[in-house]
């Protein structure tokens, strides 16, 4: 790279300093740079102790529910039931693999941040420019900065020529900021912070949008601004899946209860009958009936299928905990740049003093005075646009068919002049006249001063500029001057400029955002904006997006509040503006402390800590950085804000369906356990053995539970409030309803059992009758529990194809068992005659009719509050 004259002059004019033993003009010596690299470490974020894959698997295996799955498989092997053992161990292995993969991916968060924070850098060492790896940059190095460069470390500007930096990855502000050079040392008590205009500092991870300069490195690695973000990210723990812990607790309690009952059965059977071998067999069977190993299996299936369904909506699920939490979301904290907006500047308005005004849109026609504004704004822009505003002007002109001054040749470019707050280009006509055209654009008041506007003309310009600014639009004035052979030493003030008009630029709102936010409000989800942008711009975007009216709280005001005062203000604030990364984290933490379930969207490095701290971190997939994606729970693959609402709706559906499946399993276990214990009370042989229980629990129940996973969402899924985050999966009303269903089924099956005893049926028929009556009752329980409100008549409408498939499979397996002699012999069944077959089917029909009649009462009596949802006591 060729060193520019401006940089050569700046380097030559600098003296030596104590921080730069070799003299700042020479930069650091190679030896000094090596010494500092060894003493202070590489320019990387501090390494964290990462968990190995084996360690992660070990932690997963310590989960109670997985330990039970693996332990159950071992027991089945000891008993000789190899098929059942392999099925159980297969589910356990699948669950361990999925969980380990998800946990391993979270270990890459800081690695992605380290890669971003250490680009290659051009430095001056031993008086020569050298391109080195970003990790080798040390404090005191001289960085040569040009447009398009990624800054490798925090540095103080020694020379800046029209230098603008895009710090959106750190601050979230979409517009680049102007930088000024300063020879003064930074104040140790007040470290520089990104985001301000005319600061003499550039920051690691930012991009030079325009101009060039020379800067001395003042902080590297973990001491840089991006390093501070990395340290806060490393200190955060990922939210643990509450549903997994709750399920494990229920399974553990059920296992303890089952062990106690099984022990009592062994003693009762052995003491009353004297056959201790059969007593042990009865105890094992009883324990199996009371151990709901289907819970972790069903939960694993639902989470895997839920992630797949959410993926079909264009969303990648990175953590299973997010699926169970989506339906409880009460606050959605959204970034502005790149999330609500497109993160791409665009020309949105043209205003001419003659009355010509155009608000640009898909069908806007640019002609007359507005076209002239755009033409001269293009003439005043660099030929190669780097700054987002210049790119927007080039793009708008190209789309409108406006060329950069036909018949004109560029004579000279003049970058931004801070003292005038304008930039200009000089053009010369290609004809014989030698006429020159000077196009200028910049701050409206500065352009008005160059044009000598006053009185009504100035007032009209000011009113138009203020109206745009209050809509969040960045406003530039455009003017031109013509002269014959102008003096090369003449300044812009020496020319007579004619005012042409105003050009307004903005980061456009995504089209889907207003509808998505309206749906969030209907669902009882409060949307707040957290941005590094200015308050006026943020408020304008919030109004356009439809975010509910509320206060605007700036970062400076936030710092003045203690935690109690902030908690009080949160109820009334809808926009947080000029927010720094650690302040975003504080806001999310404060919402969580107030009982809110927080979802946070973002795409930049500055969003990573709050994405990880939130209950649900939502990153943008295309525009988002690796850091944001790795720190998040879910990633929007298409950067479509509307998919957030679809994902929340899916989350509510998945959670509802998990509860339906769990309630069904609870209900099923009551008659299974009851029929296992009943022969002991009547002195009869065991009705079911381990193979029958294994068939019911490890085949029929999980297959039937798939029906609930495929069940469509309830009609009020997105019109009710979020569910109470403290509401347990296994709530008291749900347990009561499940036990009631199970007790009703058991009473009918007990009648069948006693009838079989009364008619003295052979043991094979007696066992087959009760087994298939139980299967019919299980199918009835599926139809009853598949919907909170819909009747079973809607079950076969075709919305849930899995239901039809399951019913067909169960019916086919039942017929197969009855008609294939080896299968009957293996299960110790005899053939059922038509009358007994009718009794078995009739039992299921009775269960269905009775529970369908009772279900509306149960919904009103027990589930009214649960179905209506929940919202914390806050201003909505």
């Amino acid at each position: 790279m060729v060193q520019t004259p401006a940089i050569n002059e700046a380097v030559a004019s600098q003296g030596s300093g104590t921080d730069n033993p070799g003299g700042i003009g020479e930069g650091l010596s190679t030896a000094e740079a090596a010494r500092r690299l060894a003493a202070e470490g590489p320019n990387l974020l501090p390494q964290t102790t990462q968990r190995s894959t084996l360690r992660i698997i070990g932690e997963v295996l310590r989960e109670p529910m997985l330990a039970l799955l693996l332990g159950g498989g071992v027991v089945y092997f000891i008993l000789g039931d190899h098929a059942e053992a392999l099925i159980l161990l297969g589910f356990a292995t699948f669950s361990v693999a999925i969980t380990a993969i998800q946990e391993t991916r979270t270990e890459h968060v800081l690695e992605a941040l380290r890669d971003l924070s250490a680009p290659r850098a051009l430095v001056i060492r031993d008086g020569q420019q050298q391109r080195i790896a970003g990790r080798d940059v040390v404090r005191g190095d001289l960085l040569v900065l040009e447009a398009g460069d990624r800054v490798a470390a925090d540095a103080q500007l020694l020379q800046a020529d029209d230098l603008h930096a895009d710090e959106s990855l750190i601050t979230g502000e979409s517009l680049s900021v102007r930088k000024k050079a300063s020879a003064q040392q930074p104040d140790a008590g007040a470290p520089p912070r990104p985001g301000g205009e005319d600061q003499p500092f550039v920051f690691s991870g930012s991009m030079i949008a325009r101009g060039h300069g020379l800067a001395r490195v003042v902080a590297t690695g973990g001491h840089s601004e991006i390093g501070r973000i990395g340290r806060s990210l490393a200190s955060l723990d990922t939210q643990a899946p509450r549903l997994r812990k709750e399920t494990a607790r229920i399974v553990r309690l059920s296992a303890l209860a089952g062990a106690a009952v099984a022990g009592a059965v062994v003693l009762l059977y052995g003491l009353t009958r004297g056959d201790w071998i059969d007593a042990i067999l009865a105890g094992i069977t009883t324990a199996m009936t009371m151990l709901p190993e289907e819970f972790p299996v069903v939960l694993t299936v639902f989470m895997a299928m839920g992630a797949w369904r959410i993926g079909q909506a264009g969303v990648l699920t990175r953590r299973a905990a997010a699926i169970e939490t989506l339906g409880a979301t009460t606050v959605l904290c959204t970034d502005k740049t790149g999330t609500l907006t497109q993160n791409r500047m665009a020309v949105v308005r043209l205003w001419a003093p003659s009355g010509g005004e155009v608000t640009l849109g898909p069908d806007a026609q640019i002609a007359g005075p507005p076209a002239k504004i755009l033409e001269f704004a293009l003439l005043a822009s660099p030929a190669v646009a780097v700054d987002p505003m210049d790119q927007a002007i080039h793009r708008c002109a190209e789309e409108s068919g406006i060329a950069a001054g036909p018949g004109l040749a560029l004579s000279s470019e003049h970058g931004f002049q801070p003292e005038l707050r304008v930039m200009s280009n000089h053009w010369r006509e290609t004809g014989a006249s030698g006429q020159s055209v000077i196009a200028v654009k910049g701050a409206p008041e500065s352009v008005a001063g160059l044009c000598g506007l006053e009185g009504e003309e100035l007032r009209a310009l000011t009113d138009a500029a203020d109206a745009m600014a209050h809509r969040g639009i960045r406003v530039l004035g455009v003017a031109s001057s013509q002269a014959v052979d102008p003096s090369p030493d003449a300044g812009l003030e020496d020319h007579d400029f004619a005012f042409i008009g105003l050009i307004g630029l903005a980061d456009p709102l995504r089209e889907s955002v207003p509808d998505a936010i309206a749906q969030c409000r209907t669902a009882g989800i409060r949307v707040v904006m957290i941005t590094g942008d200015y308050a006026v711009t943020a408020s304008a975007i919030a109004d356009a997006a439809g975010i509910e009216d509320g206060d605007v709280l700036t970062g400076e005001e936030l710092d003045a509040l203690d935690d109690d005062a902030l908690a009080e203000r949160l109820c009334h604030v809808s926009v947080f503006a000029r927010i720094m990364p650690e302040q975003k984290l504080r806001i999310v933490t404060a919402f969580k402390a107030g009982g809110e379930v927080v979802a946070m969207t973002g795409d930049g490095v500055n969003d990573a800590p709050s994405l990880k701290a939130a209950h649900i971190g939502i990153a943008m997939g295309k525009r988002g950085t690796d850091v944001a994606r790795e720190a998040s729970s879910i990633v929007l693959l298409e950067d479509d804000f509307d998919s957030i609402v679809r994902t929340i709706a899916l989350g509510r559906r998945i959670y509802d369906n998990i509860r339906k499946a769990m309630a069904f399993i609870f209900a099923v276990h009551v008659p299974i356990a009851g029929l296992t214990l009943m022969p002991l009370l009547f002195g009869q042989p065991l009705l079911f053995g381990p193979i029958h229980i294994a068939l019911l629990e490890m085949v029929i129940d999980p297959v039937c539970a798939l029906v609930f996973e495929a069940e469509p969402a309830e009609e009020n899924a997105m019109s009710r409030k979020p569910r109470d985050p403290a509401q347990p999966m296994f709530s008291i009303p749900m347990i009561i309803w499940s036990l009631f269903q199970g007790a009703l089924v058991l009473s009918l099956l007990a009648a069948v059992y006693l009838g079989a005893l009364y008619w003295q049926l052979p043991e094979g028929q007696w066992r087959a009758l009760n087994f298939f009556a139980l299967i019919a009752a299980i199918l009835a329980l599926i139809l009853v529990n598949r919907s909170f409100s819909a009747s079973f008549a809607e079950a076969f409408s075709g919305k849930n194809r899995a239901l039809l498939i399951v019913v067909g499979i169960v019916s086919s397996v039942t017929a197969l068992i009855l008609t294939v002699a080896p299968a009957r012999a293996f299960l110790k069944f005899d053939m059922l005659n038509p009358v007994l077959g009718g009794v078995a089917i009739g039992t299921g029909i009775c269960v269905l009719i009775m529970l369908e009649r009772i279900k509306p009462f149960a919904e009103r009596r027990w589930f009214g509050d649960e179905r209506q949802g929940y919202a914390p006591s806050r201003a909505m």
Side-chain angles (χ1 to χ4, degrees):
M1 175 175 174
V2 178
Q3 196 167 333
T4 64
I7 293 178
N8 279 321
E9 182 180 349
V11 171
S13 65
Q14 299 295 329
S16 299
T18 57
D19 189 49
N20 201 352
I24 198 167
E26 297 291 320
L28 292 178
S29 66
T30 301
E32 176 64 16
R35 187 190 68 80
R36 294 192 181 191
L37 183 64
E40 302 177 3
N43 181 30
L44 296 172
L45 292 181
Q47 292 279 353
T48 58
T49 303
Q50 293 192 350
R51 297 178 298 167
S52 67
T53 302
L54 289 178
R55 178 182 170 186
I56 292 172
I57 292 175
E59 293 177 357
V60 172
L61 290 177
R62 287 199 294 270
E63 291 287 341
M65 66 175 182
L66 291 176
L68 283 171
L69 279 171
L70 294 173
V74 172
V75 170
Y76 285 144
F77 264 121
I78 294 174
L79 292 175
D81 295 328
H82 294 168
E84 290 78 10
L86 289 175
I87 292 173
L88 194 58
L89 291 175
F91 275 121
T93 303
F94 174 75
S95 181
V96 169
I98 292 297
T99 307
I101 290 171
Q102 290 175 334
E103 292 292 332
T104 302
R105 292 179 68 182
T106 64
E107 295 298 315
H108 300 311
V109 176
L110 291 179
E111 192 63 38
L113 192 54
R114 280 193 293 272
D115 291 342
L116 181 62
S117 65
R120 292 185 62 80
L122 185 65
V123 300
I124 297 176
R125 289 183 181 173
D126 298 323
Q128 300 294 323
Q129 292 187 21
Q130 302 178 29
R131 181 75 67 178
I132 63 174
R135 61 172 291 130
D136 295 332
V137 172
V138 298
R139 182 177 52 83
D141 260 328
L142 289 181
L143 295 179
V144 178
L145 305 173
E146 293 286 351
D149 287 349
R150 177 81 66 182
V151 181
D154 290 0
Q156 180 187 10
L157 281 167
L158 305 176
Q159 189 272 342
D161 184 4
D162 188 29
L163 193 143
H164 288 63
D166 178 358
E167 298 176 347
S168 61
L169 287 183
I170 304 173
T171 66
E173 184 178 347
S174 57
L175 300 177
S176 59
V177 290
R178 183 177 62 245
K179 299 292 182 178
K180 285 187 175 181
S182 173
Q184 296 182 354
Q185 293 292 326
D187 185 354
R193 305 303 301 276
E197 286 279 346
D198 296 331
Q199 280 189 347
F201 296 97
V202 290
F203 298 91
S204 176
S206 61
M207 182 78 74
I208 303 302
R210 188 168 72 200
H212 50 79
L214 183 72
R216 180 173 53 210
V217 174
V218 296
T220 61
H223 300 288
S224 66
E225 184 67 21
I226 202 171
R228 293 173 60 254
I229 299 174
R231 290 199 302 274
S232 64
L233 188 62
S235 66
L236 297 174
D237 292 327
T238 303
Q239 199 77 16
R242 181 183 63 85
L243 185 55
R244 182 190 300 175
K245 294 188 295 184
E246 186 180 351
T247 303
R249 181 175 61 86
I250 292 295
V251 172
R252 186 168 56 249
L253 292 175
S254 300
L256 292 175
V261 173
V265 166
V266 171
L267 289 175
L268 176 63
Y269 197 103
L271 293 174
T272 58
R273 305 190 186 188
D275 188 345
W276 291 97
I277 299 292
D278 284 347
I280 294 174
L281 182 60
I284 292 175
T285 303
T286 302
M288 291 174 62
T289 64
M290 300 190 67
L291 179 64
E293 63 262 38
E294 306 98 334
F295 283 159
V297 172
V298 168
L299 184 60
T300 299
V301 171
F302 269 67
M303 290 304 176
M305 290 297 295
W308 176 79
R309 291 189 185 279
I310 290 176
Q312 295 296 102
V315 178
L316 171 65
T317 304
R318 298 193 63 254
R319 297 188 181 93
I323 298 176
E324 67 190 64
T325 311
L326 280 167
T329 302
T330 60
V331 171
L332 174 57
C333 298
T334 176
D335 189 24
K336 177 184 74 68
T337 305
T339 305
L340 294 179
T341 66
Q342 299 176 16
N343 196 23
R344 188 183 76 165
M345 295 297 292
V347 178
V348 296
R349 181 162 295 196
L350 300 169
W351 178 87
S354 60
E357 181 176 358
V358 173
T359 299
L360 272 68
D363 301 322
Q365 299 294 323
I366 303 178
K372 187 177 180 182
I373 298 172
L374 186 57
E375 177 186 354
F376 277 87
L378 182 63
L379 289 174
S381 301
V384 179
V386 177
D387 183 86
M389 289 190 294
D390 293 333
Q391 291 176 343
I393 292 172
H394 274 265
R395 188 167 52 250
C396 184
E398 181 180 355
E399 293 172 353
S400 304
I402 295 175
L408 296 176
L410 183 62
S411 176
S412 60
E413 288 187 356
H414 300 269
F416 185 79
Q417 302 178 44
E419 65 280 2
L420 294 178
R421 300 181 65 194
V422 298
M423 65 184 302
S424 62
N425 286 338
H426 289 211
W427 298 80
R428 185 177 297 275
E429 292 184 355
T430 56
S433 64
Q435 187 91 354
S436 290
V437 176
I438 303 174
V440 64
K441 65 178 172 66
E445 61 274 18
S446 300
V447 174
L450 288 176
C451 297
L453 298 184
E454 56 186 19
E456 286 297 326
E457 290 181 329
L458 181 60
R459 190 175 301 109
L461 181 151
T462 303
D463 290 345
D466 289 345
M468 290 190 203
H470 280 90
R471 294 186 179 95
I473 299 174
R474 185 77 171 257
V475 188
L476 299 176
V478 180
S480 69
S481 175
Q482 291 187 342
V484 177
D485 195 19
S487 170
D489 298 327
L492 292 178
E493 306 94 325
D494 300 326
H495 294 276
D496 293 327
F497 281 93
F499 182 74
I500 299 176
L502 301 176
I503 182 169
L505 302 102
D507 188 1
L509 194 70
R510 293 179 181 271
E511 294 181 1
S512 62
V513 165
D515 287 342
I517 290 178
Q519 292 180 58
C520 286
R521 186 181 294 112
T522 302
I525 301 170
R526 180 184 174 197
V527 180
V528 298
M529 180 196 294
I530 305 177
T531 178
D533 219 332
Y534 293 97
V536 172
T537 303
S539 296
I541 293 294
D543 289 341
I547 294 176
E548 55 191 303
D549 293 337
D551 297 340
V552 178
L553 187 68
T554 65
E556 185 178 354
E557 294 169 336
L558 178 66
D559 282 339
L561 300 175
D562 59 22
D563 291 343
D564 291 337
L566 176 59
E568 183 178 348
R569 287 295 304 276
L570 286 181
C571 297
H572 310 287
V573 176
S574 59
V575 175
F576 295 87
R578 303 301 289 167
I579 298 298
M580 297 303 296
E582 66 275 11
Q583 293 175 323
K584 290 186 179 185
L585 181 58
R586 186 184 174 198
I587 293 168
V588 170
T589 303
F591 273 125
K592 291 172 65 176
E596 306 281 5
V597 178
V598 183
M600 170 75 188
T601 70
D603 57 4
V605 172
N606 63 308
D607 298 319
S610 48
L611 283 171
K612 191 173 183 182
H615 294 99
I616 307 168
I618 306 173
M620 297 297 167
K622 287 187 175 179
R623 297 180 184 271
T625 61
D626 287 343
V627 183
R629 289 193 291 268
E630 293 292 339
S632 64
S633 303
I634 60 178
V635 178
L636 307 184
L637 299 179
E638 297 298 329
D639 290 4
D640 183 4
F641 189 84
D642 182 59
S643 61
I644 296 175
V645 180
R646 298 197 302 271
T647 303
I648 290 174
L650 280 170
R652 292 189 175 189
R653 167 189 168 179
I654 292 166
Y655 188 85
D656 282 348
N657 289 345
I658 290 176
R659 295 199 75 206
K660 295 172 187 177
M662 297 301 185
F664 161 75
I665 293 171
F666 247 127
V668 163
H669 270 271
V670 174
I672 292 177
L675 287 178
T676 302
L677 294 173
M678 195 172 297
L680 301 178
L681 302 177
F682 292 92
Q684 297 295 320
L686 290 177
L687 183 61
F688 298 143
I691 186 60
H692 301 99
I693 304 303
L695 179 63
L696 287 170
E697 296 187 356
M698 297 310 300
V699 178
I700 297 177
D701 289 356
V703 170
C704 292
L706 294 178
V707 173
F708 299 104
E709 193 284 324
E711 189 62 28
E714 296 290 315
E715 291 184 358
N716 68 337
M718 287 300 287
S719 60
R720 65 178 188 246
K721 299 173 185 176
R723 63 178 173 81
D724 186 346
Q727 172 189 316
M729 164 71 71
F730 302 96
S731 64
I732 297 300
M734 186 191 105
I735 293 174
I736 292 175
W737 175 233
S738 295
L739 292 177
F740 176 83
Q741 293 181 78
L744 179 63
V745 172
L746 179 58
S747 64
L748 292 175
L749 292 175
V752 173
Y753 176 83
L754 294 175
L757 290 181
Y758 178 79
W759 292 104
Q760 297 181 350
L761 296 178
E763 183 179 330
Q765 282 192 341
W766 169 61
R767 181 175 291 112
L769 173 61
N770 283 275
F771 185 84
F772 291 114
L774 176 59
I775 290 180
I778 289 174
L779 293 176
L781 288 175
I782 293 175
L783 296 175
V784 171
N785 287 278
R786 54 167 286 274
S787 173
F788 293 139
S789 55
S791 67
F792 82 94
E794 301 176 24
F796 300 99
S797 62
K799 294 181 180 179
N800 189 345
R801 296 176 58 187
L803 174 62
L804 302 178
I805 294 172
V806 165
V807 170
I809 290 175
V810 173
S811 301
S812 299
V813 171
T814 301
L816 188 66
I817 291 174
L818 282 174
T819 55
V820 177
R824 291 201 309 270
F826 180 70
L827 296 172
K828 299 179 182 179
F829 289 162
D830 286 345
M831 187 67 180
L832 294 179
N833 59 44
V835 174
L836 295 179
V839 171
I841 296 173
T843 302
I845 294 174
C846 288
V847 169
L848 180 61
I849 293 174
M850 295 173 70
L851 289 178
E852 280 294 319
R853 297 297 298 269
I854 298 171
K855 185 165 71 173
F857 169 80
E859 287 294 319
R860 293 191 301 269
R861 179 69 179 83
W862 292 331
F863 297 104
D865 293 339
E866 286 190 11
R867 302 290 190 256
Q868 289 303 312
Y870 158 86
S873 56
R874 53 175 165 79
M876 285 292 294

